[in-house]
C-alpha cells in the first residue's frame, strides 16, 4: 500500500474529512429524533391538562344543574352559562390535537346524548324560572337523563382514553426510534474506527515496527532485571515467612500438629504438648502415640473420619473427642484437619489443630442437668388456676384442681357455691369479709391463706393469689387467681418451732428464698437460694444488718415490715422490688413471727418467691386494657355522632316535608319558602355529615388512596372559596384571599380540597353576619396556609378537644348552623398523612386562626 500512495498524510486528511461528514449526518439524525421525543412528551402533558379541564367543567355543569333543581334557585344558571363554553372550548382544543381522529369513533355515541343532555338541562332551567321545581327534579332523576348521562360519560371517557393511548403509543415509538438512532450513531463510530485504524497503521507500519522492536528489546532487558530482583526478594521473604511461622506456632494458643504419612512421623507444637501435660522429650514423634491417647469410646470415630479424609469422602475433618492427659484424666478437644496429596493423589501430609474445650463441655453438661431439673419441676407442679366471673358467679378451673385435691372431673361444677362449700367453715367468714374489703377499696391484687377440702375429706392449706378486674364504672367483674398447696410449708413452719435442725434441712431444699431476721434487723440465717441472689456464701451474710445489705430506702422498708410483724404478732405479706447483685427482681415476701419456748418473739421468718415475670405480665395486661379502653371510647363516640347528628337533620327534613305536603294539599302556601330553606339547610348538613363519615371510615380502614401530585394551591383555594361563596353571601361575610401568584405544592388534591372546605365552612359558620374571613398561603420551604375569622372564637380549655374523636367538641354557629363533629378530625388525619401539622390560635369573641403546613 505504501508503494501506491505518494502522500500518506494527504490520504489521512481525506479519510478524516469523510469520517466527519458521516458523523455529522448520523448525529444530526439522532438530534432530530430526540427533539421529536421531547415534543411528544410536551404534547402528552398538554393532553393531560386538557383532559383534566374537560372532566372539571363537566362536573361543574352537572353540579350547577343539580343545585338549581334541588334549591329552586335560578342563579345557578349563570354559573352553568359561564362554564358551558369553557367545556366546549376544552373539547375543541383536544380535537385539534387529535392525530388519529378519535372523535369519529366516538361521535356517534356522544353526539345524540350530548344534544339530549343539553336539551334536558336547558329545560330544567326553564322550569326553575317558572317555579316548577318538582318537574325539574323529575327530569334530573329520570331514567332517560341517567341513561343519556351514562352514554355521554362513556363516550367522553372512551374519547379521552384513546387520546392517552395514542399519545403513549407515539411516545413509545419515538423512544424506540431514539434508541435506534443512538445505536446507529454508535455503530457508525465503531465502523469508522475499524476502517480508519488499519489505514493509519498501514501508513505508519515501518515506523511502528521499528518502535515496537526497540520497546520489546528494552522490555526484555528490564524483565530480566526484574526477575533477578524478584527472585532475590522472594528468597528473603520465604526465609522470613518460615521464621515467622515457627514463631507463630510456638506462640499460638492452638495446639498444632503435622503427620508425615509416608514416614509416619508426627510433629506436635509446644501448645499441643502443653494441653496434654507433656514436656518436649516426653512425647513420641509417631502416630501410635497420638492414637494410644484417644478415649476408647472415641477412637473408632476418629479412625473412621481420618480414613474418609484419606479416601476423599470428605474435604476437611472436624471432630470433638477426648484425649488422655498426662495425669490420667481426659480432656475434650475440638480438632480440625486437612490433607495434602502428591501429584498422583496419594496422601502426603496431614495438618491439624487442637483446642481444649473441656471447660465448655463441662458447662454444657451442667446446663443440660439444670434444664432436666427445671423440666422435672415444671412437670411436677400442682398449682391450680381459676377464673371467677363475678357477674354470673361461674368459676372456671384448670386441671391443677384435680392434681391438687383429687376431685374427679365429673363432680367438679362451675358454680361458685361448689367452691365455697369446700372452704373450711372457720376460714369462710373471714374470707368473705376480705373479699368485701377488696371490692370496697377497689384493690387490684389480693393474696391469702385458707383451708380447702380434698376429695377424701381432709383439708389442705392453700395460698391463694388473685388479680381483680373492674369495668369502666369501677364495678368488679372478674376474680382471676392461682391456688398453691402450702400444706407442706405450713407443717414445716410448725416443725421449725420444734427442731431448728429439721428447719434448716427443709429450708435448704426449698426452691423459695428463706431467711431469719432477729428483732434488731440482723440476719441469723439464709438458705442457699437466698444467698445465690446476693452472689455470696450464706456464712458471709449471717451476722450482717439489713442496712449493710440493701440500699437505705429498701432497708428501711424491710425493717418496717419486720417491725409490723413483731408488734402485731401476725403474718405480714407484701410484693416489693428488691435490689440484688443479680439485678432488680420482684418478690412476694411473706413474714412470720418466730417464738421461743416462753412464747416471746425472737425474730421473723421470711419466705420469698420470685414474681418478676408475673409482675411484668400484669403490667402488660394493664397497658393492653388502657389501649382497649381508649379504642372503645373512640368507637362509642363515632357511633354517637352517627346516631345523634345524622338523626337530627333527617328529623327536620321529614317533619317539615310532612307540613309542606299538608299545606300544599290544603293550598296554603304561607311559610313554604321558609320551610324549604330549612329543609335545604338540613339536607346540606346531612350531606356534609355523610361525606365526612364516608371519608373518615375510608381513612380509618385504609381504603382511602393517597395520590399526591404537583398542582397550584392558589387555584385550589379559589375553586373551594367559589363553591362556598353563596354561603358567605347569605351572611354578608367578606372573604379576602392573600395569595401569591405562584404557590406550587405536592399533595393529594382531593384531601387538600376537603381540608380547605372544612376550614372555610367552619369560618363562615362561626363568623357573625357582616364579618370578614381571610385566607392566606405562602410556599417558602413548603406550604403554610391559614384561614382566619373575626367570629365567636374558641375557649382555651376546648382547643385541645378540637382534633380528638374521643373528646368531640362541636357547637352551633352564629345562625344555629350545626357541625358534624368530624370536620377538624378529618383535617388532622389528612394533614398528618402528608407529614404536616395543623393547629389553631383563638380568643373568645375575637375570632380564630387555623394554620396548617405541608412539607
Amino acid at each position: 500500500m505504501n508503494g501506491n500512495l505518494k502522500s500518506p498524510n494527504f490520504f489521512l486528511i481525506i479519510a478524516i474529512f469523510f469520517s466527519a461528514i458521516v458523523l455529522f449526518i448520523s448525529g444530526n439524525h439522532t438530534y432530530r429524533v430526540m427533539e421529536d421525543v421531547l415534543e411528544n412528551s410536551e404534547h402528552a402533558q398538554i393532553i393531560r391538562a386538557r383532559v383534566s379541564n374537560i372532566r372539571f367543567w363537566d362536573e361543574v355543569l352537572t353540579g350547577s344543574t343539580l343545585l338549581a333543581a334541588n334549591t329552586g334557585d335560578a342563579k345557578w344558571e349563570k354559573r352553568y352559562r359561564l362554564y358551558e363554553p369553557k367545556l366546549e372550548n376544552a373539547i375543541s382544543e383536544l380535537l385539534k390535537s387529535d392525530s388519529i381522529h378519535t372523535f369519529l369513533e366516538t361521535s356517534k355515541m356522544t353526539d345524540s346524548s350530548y344534544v339530549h343532555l343539553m336539551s334536558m338541562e336547558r329545560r330544567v332551567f326553564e322550569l326553575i324560572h317558572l317555579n316548577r321545581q318538582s318537574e325539574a327534579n323529575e327530569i334530573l332523576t329520570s331514567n332517560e337523563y341517567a341513561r343519556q348521562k351514562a352514554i355521554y360519560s362513556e363516550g367522553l371517557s372512551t374519547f379521552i382514553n384513546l387520546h392517552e393511548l395514542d399519545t403513549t403509543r407515539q411516545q413509545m415509538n419515538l423512544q424506540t426510534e431514539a434508541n435506534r438512532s443512538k445505536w446507529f450513531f454508535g455503530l457508525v463510530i465503531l465502523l469508522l474506527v475499524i476502517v480508519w485504524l488499519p489505514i493509519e497503521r498501514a501508513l505508519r507500519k515501518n515506523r511502528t515496527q521499528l518502535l515496537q522492536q526497540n520497546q520489546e528489546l528494552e522490555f526484555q532487558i528490564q524483565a530480566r532485571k526484574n526477575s533477578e530482583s524478584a527472585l532475590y526478594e522472594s528468597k528473603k521473604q520465604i526465609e522470613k515467612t518460615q521464621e515467622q511461622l515457627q514463631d507463630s506456632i510456638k506462640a499460638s494458643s492452638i495446639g498444632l500438629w503435622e503427620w508425615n504419612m509416608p514416614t509416619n512421623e508426627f510433629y506436635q507444637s509446644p501448645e499441643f504438648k502443653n494441653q496434654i501435660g507433656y514436656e518436649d522429650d516426653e512425647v513420641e514423634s509417631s502416630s501410635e502415640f497420638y492414637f494410644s491417647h484417644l478415649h476408647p469410646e472415641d477412637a473408632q470415630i476418629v479412625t473412621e473420619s481420618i480414613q474418609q479424609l484419606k479416601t476423599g469422602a470428605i474435604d476437611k475433618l472436624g471432630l470433638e473427642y477426648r484425649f488422655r492427659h498426662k495425669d490420667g484424666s481426659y480432656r475434650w478437644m475440638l480438632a480440625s484437619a486437612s490433607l495434602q496429596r502428591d501429584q498422583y493423589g496419594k496422601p502426603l501430609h496431614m495438618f491439624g489443630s487442637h483446642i481444649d474445650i473441656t471447660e465448655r463441655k463441662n458447662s454444657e453438661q451442667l446446663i443440660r442437668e439444670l434444664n432436666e431439673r427445671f423440666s422435672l419441676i415444671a412437670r411436677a407442679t400442682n398449682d391450680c388456676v381459676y377464673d371467677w366471673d363475678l357477674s354470673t358467679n361461674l368459676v372456671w378451673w384448670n386441671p391443677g384442681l384435680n392434681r391438687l385435691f383429687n376431685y374427679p372431673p365429673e363432680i367438679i361444677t362451675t358454680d361458685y357455691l361448689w367452691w365455697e362449700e369446700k372452704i373450711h367453715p372457720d376460714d369462710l367468714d373471714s374470707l368473705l369479709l376480705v373479699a368485701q374489703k377488696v371490692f370496697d377499696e377497689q384493690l387490684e391484687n389480693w393474696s391469702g391463706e385458707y383451708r380447702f377440702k380434698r376429695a377424701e375429706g381432709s383439708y389442705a392449706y392453700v395460698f391463694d393469689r388473685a388479680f381483680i378486674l373492674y369495668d369502666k364504672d369501677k364495678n368488679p367483674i372478674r376474680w382471676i387467681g392461682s391456688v398453691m398447696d402450702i400444706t407442706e410449708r405450713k407443717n414445716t413452719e410448725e416443725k421449725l418451732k420444734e427442731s431448728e435442725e429439721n428447719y434448716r434441712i427443709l429450708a435448704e431444699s426449698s426452691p423459695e428464698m428463706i431467711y431469719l431476721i432477729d428483732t434488731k434487723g440482723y440476719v441469723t440465717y439464709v438458705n442457699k437460694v437466698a444467698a445465690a441472689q446476693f452472689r455470696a456464701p450464706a456464712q458471709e451474710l449471717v451476722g450482717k444488718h439489713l442496712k449493710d445489705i440493701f440500699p437505705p430506702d429498701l432497708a428501711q422498708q424491710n425493717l418496717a415490715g419486720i417491725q409490723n410483724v413483731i408488734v402485731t404478732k401476725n403474718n405480714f405479706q407484701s410484693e416489693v422490688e428488691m435490689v440484688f447483685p443479680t439485678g432488680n427482681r420482684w418478690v412476694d415476701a411473706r413474714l412470720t413471727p418466730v417464738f421461743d419456748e416462753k412464747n416471746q418473739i425472737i425474730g421473723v421468718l421470711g419466705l420469698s418467691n420470685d414474681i418478676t415475670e408475673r409482675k411484668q405480665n400484669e403490667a402488660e395486661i394493664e397497658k393492653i386494657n388502657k389501649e382497649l379502653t381508649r379504642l372503645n371510647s373512640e368507637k362509642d363516640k363515632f357511633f354517637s355522632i352517627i346516631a345523634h347528628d345524622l338523626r337530627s337533620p333527617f328529623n327536620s327534613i321529614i317533619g317539615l316535608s310532612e307540613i309542606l305536603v299538608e299545606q300544599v294539599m290544603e293550598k296554603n302556601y304561607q311559610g313554604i319558602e321558609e320551610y324549604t330553606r330549612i329543609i335545604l339547610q338540613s339536607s346540606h348538613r346531612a350531606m356534609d355529615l355523610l361525606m365526612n363519615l364516608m371519608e373518615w371510615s375510608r381513612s380509618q380502614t385504609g381504603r382511602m388512596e393517597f395520590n399526591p401530585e404537583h398542582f397550584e394551591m392558589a387555584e385550589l383555594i379559589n375553586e373551594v372559596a367559589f363553591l362556598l361563596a353563596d354561603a358567605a353571601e347569605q351572611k354578608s361575610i367578606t372573604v379576602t384571599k392573600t395569595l401569591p401568584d405562584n404557590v406550587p405544592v405536592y399533595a393529594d388534591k382531593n384531601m387538600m380540597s376537603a381540608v380547605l372546605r372544612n376550614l372555610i365552612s367552619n369560618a363562615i359558620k362561626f363568623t357573625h353576619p357582616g364579618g370578614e374571613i381571610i385566607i392566606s398561603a405562602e410556599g417558602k420551604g413548603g406550604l403554610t396556609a391559614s384561614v382566619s375569622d373575626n367570629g365567636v372564637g374558641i375557649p382555651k380549655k376546648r382547643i385541645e378537644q378540637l382534633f380528638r374523636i374521643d373528646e368531640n367538641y362541636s357547637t352551633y354557629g352564629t345562625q344555629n348552623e350545626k357541625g358534624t363533629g368530624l370536620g377538624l378530625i378529618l383535617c388532622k388525619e389528612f394533614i398528618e398523612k402528608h407529614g404536616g401539622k395543623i393547629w389553631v390560635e383563638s380568643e373568645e369573641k375575637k375570632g380564630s386562626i387555623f394554620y396548617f403546613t405541608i412539607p
Side-chain angles (χ1 to χ4, degrees), residues 83-95:
Y83 290 114
E84 181 182 10
K86 292 185 179 182
L87 175 61
E88 293 178 354
N89 290 338
I91 296 176
S92 176
E93 290 176 359
L94 189 61
L95 288 174

Side-chain angles (χ1 to χ4, degrees), residues 50-66 79-80 82-91 110 113-114 117-118 121 145 148-157 160:
R50 289 172 180 170
V51 165
S52 177
N53 289 336
I54 289 173
R55 288 173 173 164
F56 175 74
W57 300 132
D58 183 59
E59 292 176 359
V60 170
L61 293 182
T62 302
S64 298
T65 307
L66 290 172
R79 189 171 77 161
Y80 184 92
L82 175 65
Y83 290 114
E84 181 182 10
K86 292 185 179 182
L87 175 61
E88 293 178 354
N89 290 338
I91 296 176
T110 56
S113 61
Y114 181 74
L117 287 172
M118 296 295 291
E121 289 173 353
Y145 182 82
Q148 295 298 334
K149 189 65 178 179
I151 293 173
Y152 175 71
S153 298
E154 181 180 357
L156 186 61
S157 298
I160 292 170

